Amino acid sequence: MAKSTAKTPQFRCTECGWATGKWAGRCGECQSWGTVEEVGVVTATTKARATTSPALAINEIDISAAQAHSTGIGEFDRALGGGFVPGAVLLLAGEPGVGKSTLLLAVAAQWARMGHKVLYLTGEESVAQVRLRAERIDAVSDSLFLAAETDLGVALGHIEHTNPSLLVVDSVQTISSADVDGVGGGVTQVKEVAASLIRAAKSRNMTTVLVGHVTKDGSVAGPRALEHLVDVVLQFEGDRHGPLRLVRAVKNRYGPADEIGCFELTEDGIHGLPDPSGLFLSDRTNPVPGTCVTITVEGKRPLVAEVQALIAPSSSPQPRRVTSGLDSSRTAMMLGILERRAGLSLSTADCFVATVGGMRLLEPATDLATALAIVSSVKDISLPSGLVAIGELGLAGDIRRITGLEKRLDEAARLGFTDAIIPTGTSVKTQGIVTHPVSDIAQAVTVMTSLTARSKCEGAPNS
């Protein structure tokens, strides 16, 4: 029998589990400050044990048990990459009041109506409150079981008694174990609760959905190891004052990690939006200065989005730079490029740049639309309503090529757009839309100005 003896390090990071032999103020793995704590020296002796089942050749393994099953909600399936995988553990995170519980209750009810048993554990509400919400959104089913519990041992007892195929825990920060020190929601408690629920999910082949809180910057609250332990991490996004909600896959071991599902939250529940492009455009009949439309790709889905910019003289020695739905650092870079390469004076102006409908535009392909929206606001000219701009902007003012251009133009043509400013050197074949290749931002501004003048001439009454 093989025998090994090793000493575990004295200090360990409570966020990511990084271990070291001496104390450090900053974790060497996740770079977090003040998370390295002493755990003591333990001498471990590991002996080889007999295997319960022999190792199999990879081509002899049955994959039917790991195939995804549809949840009955198309947009949720899209974000998951096909649906629920038996034994998978999902983490759904989002801001308070955005609609996480409403979405999961609708998913649980739809799963129960398909003949599966579902256990919904709530640690934040009573079962009567959950029942009232279920009646409001038509999510009542005989196979959906509710339990209000915050003790991990009792929660595992509910799982043993009910034996569900789907477990929903709302939320993982409210469950605590009496066998572990620390307050509920703390690092130690969250890791123990998550590990116990993951063991139960894997041993029972039970799909488990954990609801997680988020911090002020939008990241998942609690230890970073929680995201490493689960199989799928979903971000639930949206403005609580608007109807649009997005489920974004951040990590997915069973499918693409860049897909999104679009939903509309109404008084009678949450509904999928197979074609949500209209929600990301402003409701206006006539073009106004400071707006430009672009096509972004989320996963495999092209979406139309609108960027709005407002440039106004500043009375402060430090002009304001405010963004919403865009990366602030990249927007600041656009302002510098326009001032240096396009001759715009922006150093003494307040700049406000935002997207419509709560859309988040993070890919570089939307740079050109952001830049043209700013130019449109500065020059006080309205871009044609049938124009879209797609391209990445470099520091030298050059317009770089992007991926999926033909897919983006097909979506623009389908929605009735007639002109597109795109990077030069790109060969695409799209019916119903005229492309205008440009090589740099100065040329893009020239094309934008000519298209605007042409649109005014076409819209002028005949003399």
Side-chain angles (χ1 to χ4, degrees), residues 213-233:
H213 297 163
V214 296
T215 57
K216 290 186 295 183
D217 60 354
S219 59
V220 181
R224 195 71 178 180
L226 181 61
E227 298 182 50
H228 296 289
L229 290 173
V230 299
D231 302 308
V232 181
V233 178

Side-chain angles (χ1 to χ4, degrees), residues 169-334:
V169 180
D170 186 10
S171 64
V172 67
Q173 278 90 357
T174 60
I175 308 295
S176 60
S177 173
D179 300 328
V180 178
D181 295 334
V183 297
V187 173
T188 306
Q189 286 286 352
V190 170
K191 291 176 68 174
E192 174 62 24
V193 170
S196 299
L197 293 176
I198 290 173
R199 285 194 297 268
K202 301 300 182 182
S203 62
R204 295 174 172 273
N205 224 22
M206 172 185 63
T207 305
T208 302
V209 182
L210 307 177
V211 177
H213 297 163
V214 296
T215 57
K216 290 186 295 183
D217 60 354
S219 59
V220 181
R224 195 71 178 180
L226 181 61
E227 298 182 50
H228 296 289
L229 290 173
V230 299
D231 302 308
V232 181
V233 178
L234 301 174
Q235 287 280 358
F236 197 50
E237 306 169 358
D239 183 4
R240 68 174 64 185
H241 303 293
L244 179 65
R245 298 293 185 269
L246 298 178
V247 176
R248 187 185 303 272
V250 180
K251 169 189 174 182
N252 194 347
R253 290 175 178 166
Y254 310 111
D258 55 356
E259 279 286 3
I260 66 168
C262 299
F263 297 87
E264 183 178 16
L265 185 63
T266 61
E267 293 182 356
D268 59 346
I270 190 166
H271 311 282
L273 292 175
D275 189 12
S277 293
L279 294 177
F280 303 122
L281 299 176
S282 60
D283 298 329
R284 53 183 171 83
T285 56
N286 298 321
V288 296
T291 64
C292 186
V293 178
T294 186
I295 311 292
T296 182
V297 174
E298 296 285 356
K300 300 178 181 178
R301 170 189 288 176
L303 296 175
V304 177
E306 183 175 332
V307 182
Q308 296 184 338
L310 177 62
I311 310 299
S314 177
S315 58
S316 171
Q318 293 183 343
R320 300 184 65 187
R321 301 288 188 264
V322 181
T323 61
S324 176
L326 297 161
D327 181 41
S328 58
S329 300
R330 197 162 191 87
T331 304
M333 186 178 70
M334 296 298 105

Side-chain angles (χ1 to χ4, degrees), residues 402-450:
I402 57 173
T403 60
L405 182 58
E406 187 170 355
K407 181 192 303 183
R408 301 171 196 260
L409 293 178
D410 288 339
E411 178 69 9
R414 184 183 72 85
L415 295 173
F417 291 92
T418 57
D419 296 274
I421 301 179
I422 63 174
T424 188
T426 307
S427 59
V428 292
K429 297 179 180 179
T430 303
Q431 298 293 331
I433 190 169
V434 180
T435 58
H436 304 273
V438 294
S439 58
D440 54 41
I441 186 60
Q443 186 179 359
V445 173
T446 303
V447 172
M448 179 196 78
T449 305
S450 63

